[in-house]
Structure formats: C-alpha cells, structure tokens
Amino acid sequence: MSTAVRIHLQVDGLRLRVSQVGENSLILREPEQLEAGNAQLIISVDGDEIVHPIHLTDGIAGRTVFFKDLDTCPADAEFRNTGNSADHIVPF
C-alpha cells in the first residue's frame, strides 16, 4: 500500500500546489505572483493534515518560494484531523 502525500501553500485565500519542499524554499507546480507575508504550508498524509506557519521572505514571483519558519514543527506534532502522531514528519 502506498502513502498519499500532498503539499499545499495557503496564502491570501489561495491554496497553491507544491512540487518540492527544501529546508527554506519550495517549488510551486504553477507560477504565481504575491507579496511577501505569512502563509501556511499544509502537508497531507493519507488525508490527515498538519499545518506549518511560515513567512514568505520575498513573496512569490514565479515558482520558487523562499520562506522562514514562524513556528518550530516538532517531530511529534499532531495531525489536525485525527490526533495521530506524525512520526515521520521532520522539522523544516
């Protein structure tokens, strides 16, 4: 059985699909143009979501987005929908 993982960036009422996430950057599937500001990185594993608050340091101009953490994401963070431990989620 395969695990379904989806990653989105939620900012200014938009939910943008993410292709890749690095230590302090991510790549969107589609280009976008937005100002710098706060956002949420949403990671869904088999339908259970965790939300990680971030700050878009340079805004979005295209597909590559640079960010800094607004909160520490501990390895034992809880999933928002189920309360299950996120044993395999690593802090950014």
Side-chain angles (χ1 to χ4, degrees):
M1 187 166 125
S2 170
T3 301
V5 177
R6 289 185 167 66
I7 303 174
H8 291 89
L9 179 66
Q10 188 159 327
V11 58
D12 289 341
L14 300 173
R15 192 168 176 129
L16 309 171
R17 296 185 314 167
V18 175
S19 294
Q20 295 178 16
V21 177
E23 187 171 338
N24 289 322
S25 66
L26 60 86
I27 299 174
L28 298 173
R29 288 189 180 214
E30 303 293 330
E32 188 63 58
Q33 299 288 326
L34 292 169
E35 299 285 325
N38 293 341
Q40 296 177 321
L41 189 59
I42 301 170
I43 304 167
S44 174
V45 180
D46 288 336
D48 296 321
E49 293 182 339
I50 60 168
V51 178
H52 186 71
I54 61 174
H55 179 77
L56 308 179
T57 55
D58 300 322
I60 303 174
R63 292 182 56 217
T64 302
V65 180
F66 296 97
F67 65 88
K68 67 178 181 177
D69 295 327
L70 290 179
D71 190 28
T72 303
C73 181
D76 63 348
E78 294 190 357
F79 283 111
R80 182 174 60 186
N81 294 344
T82 66
N84 293 331
S85 291
D87 296 330
H88 302 290
I89 302 298
V90 178
F92 296 107

